Amino acid sequence: MNNKEFINELSARMGYSTSDTQRLVTNMVNAMSDSFLEGAAVQVPNFGSFEVKKKLERIMVNPSTGQRMLVPPKLVLGFKPSVTWKGKLKKGGEE
């Protein structure tokens, strides 16, 4: 599902116009992005939680040349689904 399909589906379910729904989704994503930049976790009830994790500096070996390289530390975004979603996915979408 791409962004346009998502906006159309969400606007149909909520009863809002597509432009209002697009604005709502954009504002939500911007608010989540601001929280990520601050290092805060974002929890969406009955869906899961997003959190920024720090990956430490490590040494990587290039398999083709055998050369060792130092990979600098970086921040990555992680997602942990809720227990409800984990159960649904394990059962193939059925509750």
Side-chain angles (χ1 to χ4, degrees), residues 64-85:
S64 62
T65 63
Q67 181 182 9
R68 302 176 122 226
M69 294 185 286
L70 186 65
V71 178
K74 63 181 178 178
L75 298 175
V76 295
L77 184 61
F79 175 71
K80 183 178 178 185
S82 69
V83 176
T84 307
W85 274 106

Side-chain angles (χ1 to χ4, degrees), residues 14-32:
M14 294 178 58
Y16 293 132
S17 68
T18 54
S19 61
D20 287 342
T21 306
Q22 177 68 46
R23 200 166 35 254
L24 173 76
V25 170
T26 301
N27 287 334
M28 182 186 73
V29 169
N30 289 339
M32 289 173 71

Side-chain angles (χ1 to χ4, degrees), residues 7-80:
I7 296 298
N8 288 335
E9 179 70 24
L10 191 60
S11 66
R13 288 185 183 199
M14 294 178 58
Y16 293 132
S17 68
T18 54
S19 61
D20 287 342
T21 306
Q22 177 68 46
R23 200 166 35 254
L24 173 76
V25 170
T26 301
N27 287 334
M28 182 186 73
V29 169
N30 289 339
M32 289 173 71
S33 299
D34 292 343
S35 294
F36 298 146
L37 290 174
E38 295 170 1
V42 175
Q43 296 178 353
V44 180
N46 299 323
F47 184 68
S49 61
F50 298 88
E51 69 177 322
V52 177
K53 297 178 182 180
K54 184 175 184 176
K55 293 195 107 179
L56 299 176
E57 182 176 71
R58 61 188 173 90
I59 296 175
M60 181 192 84
V61 178
N62 185 336
S64 62
T65 63
Q67 181 182 9
R68 302 176 122 226
M69 294 185 286
L70 186 65
V71 178
K74 63 181 178 178
L75 298 175
V76 295
L77 184 61
F79 175 71
K80 183 178 178 185

